[in-house]
């Protein structure tokens, strides 16, 4: 069985895959696109992360593909509909990297509250400017979580230990029994000191935090998005930061990646990271191990992990 590995995987994961078939790793090839088109033709398993896009045109070449394994959460880089038509089993590793994403989220919240990157840069520029870095304490403040799934709940656990009151908006969660309070989106935005976005990207969540919704946010509050680009109106967010209506922000994901408007990221209280939520050694290893397990399950006839 030929296994085509398109993006970089942990060595331990590669060793496991080698037990399952003949692996060809094109992840560091100089001409990856050409290698992908040539080698997809006789591959039975294709393993990708976010760095490879499997369009219908590419998949049409892969007449022998049985499994596409996405080593990570999002499958927006795979033409899922076409894959399903061709009876290709597509699988992913949805929970492996969630702790890493949440830890980055907590860091972005703290950065916004205390302007840590700006203070660091100021000192490194040989300034001893304490007056510019008056921050905000999180203790006793309200955190509003938009999308209360795996990431949202883990963030709640962590920020509860900071003494924050937690409210959430998630229309798909009914009769919540935890200490967090369920609310509607407008109330959450109007009353929270920190808003953190953890929805999945769907037609419904696209531009969920539109200009009008962002305008409902409390003056002097903070917003962080580590979920997916396009769920909030970035241009309007920058306007609210420039006018100092909002205190600060943190973004790991952007409508266009890489974002074209990096100038706007300068001179406002925003910490911006290049979609690195899942970029930890632990997350990559866990995602790899889950991916191998999923492939083994599908090969043994267990389709419970097929999307
Ligand atoms: P999840 O599926 O467990 O949770 C998503 C939640 O959003 C669900 O509870 C769902 O009910 C809720 N939701 C759906 N539509 C909604 C709406 N209209 N309004 C409010 N809530 C809505 O997902 P997760 O594992 O917690 O992941 C959350 C996000 O984090 C996803 O977008 C995922 O792609 C992203 N993510 C980012 C990175 C990164 O590198 N930054 C890495 C992994 C995951």
């Amino acid at each position: 069985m030929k296994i085509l590995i398109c993006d970089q995987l942990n060595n331990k994961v590669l060793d496991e895959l080698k037990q399952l078939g003949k692996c060809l790793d094109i992840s560091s090839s100089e001409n990856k696109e050409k290698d992908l088109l040539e080698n997809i033709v006789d591959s039975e398993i294709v393993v990708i992360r976010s760095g490879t896009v499997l369009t219908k045109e590419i998949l049409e070449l892969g007449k022998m593909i049985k499994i596409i394994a996405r080593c990570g959460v999002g499958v927006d880089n795979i033409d899922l509909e076409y894959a399903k038509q061709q009876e290709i089993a597509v699988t992913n590793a949805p929970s492996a990297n969630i702790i890493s994403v949440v830890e980055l989220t907590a860091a972005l919240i703290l950065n916004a509250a205390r302007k840590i990157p700006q203070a660091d840069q100021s000192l490194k520029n040989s300034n001893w400017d304490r007056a510019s870095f008056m921050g905000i304490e999180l203790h006793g403040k309200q955190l509003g979580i938009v999308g209360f799934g795996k990431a949202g709940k883990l963030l709640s656990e962590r920020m509860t230990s900071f003494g924050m009151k937690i409210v959430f908006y998630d229309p798909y969660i009914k009769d919540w029994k935890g200490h967090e309070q369920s609310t509607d989106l407008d109330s959450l935005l109007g009353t929270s000191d920190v808003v953190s976005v953890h929805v999945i990207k769907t037609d419904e969540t696209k531009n969920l935090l539109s200009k009008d919704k962002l305008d409902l946010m409390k003056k002097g509050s903070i917003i962080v998005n580590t979920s997916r680009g396009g769920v909030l109106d970035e241009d309007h967010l920058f306007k609210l930061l420039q006018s100092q209506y909002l205190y600060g922000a943190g973004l790991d994901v952007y409508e266009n990646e890489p974002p074209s408007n990096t100038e706007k990221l300068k001179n406002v209280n925003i910490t911006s990271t290049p979609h690195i939520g899942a970029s930890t050694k632990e997350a990559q290893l866990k995602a790899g191990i889950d991916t191998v397990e999923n492939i083994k399950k599908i090969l043994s006839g267990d389709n419970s992990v097929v999307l």
Side-chain angles (χ1 to χ4, degrees):
M1 191 159 49
K2 179 169 169 182
I3 306 175
L4 186 62
I5 296 154
C6 303
D7 297 309
Q8 205 179 3
L9 299 179
N10 178 288
N11 284 338
K12 276 192 198 160
V13 177
L14 277 178
D15 289 343
E16 290 272 331
L17 285 173
K18 282 177 192 161
Q19 311 284 318
L20 300 178
K22 192 167 160 255
C23 292
L24 179 70
D25 184 354
I26 60 166
S27 62
S28 45
S29 152
E30 278 181 13
N31 204 340
K32 189 173 133 179
E33 210 165 311
K34 180 171 161 282
D35 288 348
L36 173 64
L37 296 179
E38 273 175 23
N39 286 291
I40 204 160
V41 175
D42 58 350
S43 294
E44 286 157 282
I45 300 178
V46 181
V47 183
I48 61 167
R49 287 178 49 204
S50 58
T52 302
V53 181
L54 295 177
T55 60
K56 177 172 184 251
E57 290 69 30
I58 294 175
L59 292 177
E60 273 171 349
L61 300 171
K63 299 264 186 276
M64 294 174 69
I65 304 175
K66 291 190 179 66
I67 302 173
I68 297 172
R70 162 76 168 96
C71 186
V73 58
V75 285
D76 38 347
N77 53 337
I78 303 167
D79 189 329
L80 209 51
E81 204 178 319
Y82 181 74
K84 277 186 182 164
Q85 276 171 24
Q86 300 308 304
E87 295 183 355
I88 297 172
V90 179
T91 185
N92 68 344
S95 42
N97 53 26
I98 220 67
I99 287 183
S100 293
V101 177
V102 169
E103 289 184 358
L104 181 79
T105 309
L108 293 179
I109 293 173
L110 288 164
N111 275 349
R114 304 304 298 268
K115 302 183 180 171
I116 298 168
Q118 296 91 326
D120 171 68
Q121 200 52 54
S122 169
L123 187 63
K124 285 174 180 165
N125 289 338
S126 306
N127 299 314
W128 185 253
D129 173 11
R130 297 171 69 216
S132 299
F133 301 110
M134 183 62 72
I136 293 177
E137 201 168 71
L138 297 175
H139 187 267
K141 303 282 168 51
Q142 178 172 304
L143 168 64
I145 299 177
V146 181
F148 202 55
K150 292 183 288 297
K153 291 189 185 99
L154 286 171
L155 183 70
S156 168
E157 276 177 21
R158 281 146 185 78
M159 300 323 286
T160 298
S161 73
F162 272 74
M164 295 192 86
K165 175 190 173 198
I166 317 286
V167 302
F168 71 86
Y169 165 67
D170 192 319
Y172 298 98
I173 294 187
K174 308 279 178 223
D175 304 323
W176 178 248
K177 300 275 189 291
H179 68 87
E180 301 89 346
Q181 204 182 313
S182 170
T183 184
D184 60 89
L185 184 57
D186 291 5
S187 313
L188 179 147
L189 295 170
T191 57
S192 295
D193 303 287
V194 179
V195 172
S196 194
V197 189
H198 298 282
V199 291
I200 41 162
K201 186 149 178 209
T202 60
D203 287 344
E204 191 191 308
T205 60
K206 200 169 167 225
N207 204 30
L208 179 68
L209 295 167
S210 60
K211 174 183 180 300
D212 291 349
K213 293 292 179 196
L214 290 176
D215 281 340
L216 295 176
M217 284 183 68
K218 198 171 160 181
K219 186 167 168 40
S221 60
I222 289 170
I223 185 163
V224 168
N225 182 20
T226 59
S227 65
R228 278 289 181 266
V231 301
L232 62 77
D233 183 332
E234 270 170 33
D235 285 335
H236 195 61
L237 169 65
F238 294 129
K239 281 186 194 143
L240 294 176
L241 289 168
Q242 273 154 2
S243 67
Q244 295 188 355
Y245 180 80
L246 289 185
Y247 182 81
L251 292 182
D252 185 47
V253 290
Y254 308 84
E255 189 157 10
N256 297 305
E257 296 189 358
S260 50
N261 50 3
T262 48
E263 276 306 308
K264 289 189 184 165
L265 299 170
K266 296 176 185 164
N267 304 319
V268 286
N269 180 19
I270 185 168
T271 303
S272 39
T273 48
H275 203 149
I276 55 166
S279 300
T280 63
K281 286 179 189 163
E282 291 80 0
Q284 294 307 313
L285 179 59
K286 274 186 270 177
I289 290 168
D290 286 1
T291 301
V292 174
E293 287 308 311
N294 289 352
I295 293 172
K296 283 184 185 167
K297 276 188 181 165
I298 297 168
L299 290 175
S300 71
D302 173 356
N303 282 337
S304 60
V305 291
V306 174
L307 295 173

